[in-house]
């Protein structure tokens, strides 16, 4: 498996990473992803893709965040393996890669949120020795 960072201008963002990312974020269009990445890149947003035999089979969106509660953390916005490639070690490889990146960047934690309905993902995160440390509260402003 090969894991690579995808820059905002990389054509693989739309052609290869987006189809996998849409399995987690079906509302994303090519234009919306490019818009989000163009603005988010300046705020630290990055995308990393996992390839197996030349095919994108996993995607991660992440950023480094500095705050008073965790100090410096690598926060994972998105983590998804292609449905037809799940249980093949893709999620583990991406998470291990992000953990290594977090350590290199001097982060104290690797954090992510996961929707309450994603029980399969929760089992995976617990197997990966992640802890449930907080509730996430949200209020729609639209």
């Amino acid at each position: 498996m090969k894991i690579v960072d995808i820059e905002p201008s990389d054509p693989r963002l739309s052609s290869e990473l987006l189809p996998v990312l849409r399995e987690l974020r079906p509302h994303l269009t090519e234009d919306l992803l490019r818009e989000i990445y163009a603005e988010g890149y300046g705020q630290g947003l990055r995308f990393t893709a996992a390839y197996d035999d030349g095919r994108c089979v996993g995607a991660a969106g992440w950023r480094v965040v500095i705050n008073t509660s965790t100090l410096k953390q690598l926060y994972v916005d998105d983590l998804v393996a292609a449905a037809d490639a799940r249980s093949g070690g893709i999620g583990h490889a991406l998470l291990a890669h992000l953990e290594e990146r977090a350590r290199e960047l001097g982060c104290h934690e690797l954090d992510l949120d996961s929707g309450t309905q994603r029980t399969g993902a929760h089992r995976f995160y617990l197997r990966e020795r992640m802890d449930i440390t907080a509730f996430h509260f949200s209020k729609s402003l639209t």
Side-chain angles (χ1 to χ4, degrees):
M1 186 169 320
K2 183 177 179 183
I3 298 178
V4 298
D5 290 335
I6 305 290
E7 296 295 318
S9 61
D10 192 321
R12 295 176 295 178
L13 181 68
S14 296
S15 64
E16 299 174 11
L17 187 131
L18 179 58
V20 177
L21 188 57
R22 287 194 68 208
E23 293 189 30
L24 180 65
R25 311 285 187 222
H27 62 279
L28 288 177
T29 63
E30 182 176 338
D31 289 340
L32 185 55
L33 179 59
R34 287 202 180 282
E35 181 182 316
I36 289 166
Y37 206 10
E39 184 172 343
Y41 192 82
Q43 300 171 7
L45 177 62
R46 300 295 183 267
F47 283 103
T48 300
Y51 285 85
D52 189 28
D53 290 327
R55 176 179 164 239
C56 183
V57 292
W62 59 276
R63 65 187 75 229
V64 172
V65 176
I66 299 172
N67 60 36
T68 57
S69 64
T70 59
L71 306 178
K72 189 174 187 180
Q73 67 173 278
L74 190 145
Y75 182 81
V76 181
D77 294 309
D78 314 286
L79 183 67
V80 60
D84 63 353
R86 288 191 186 132
S87 299
I90 297 154
H92 173 78
L94 273 170
L95 208 50
H97 176 82
L98 294 174
E99 183 176 333
E100 182 179 321
R101 179 74 61 89
R103 290 179 192 285
E104 290 170 358
L105 294 169
C107 295
H108 301 281
E109 287 187 7
L110 185 145
D111 287 346
L112 59 81
D113 289 331
S114 182
T116 55
Q117 78 284 4
R118 301 192 67 236
T119 56
H122 303 161
R123 285 190 293 274
F124 166 74
Y125 299 135
L126 291 169
R127 277 194 311 272
E128 292 295 314
R129 303 183 56 88
M130 295 186 84
D131 297 320
I132 301 169
T133 60
F135 289 104
H136 176 92
F137 295 92
S138 180
K139 184 176 189 177
S140 177
L141 301 177
T142 58

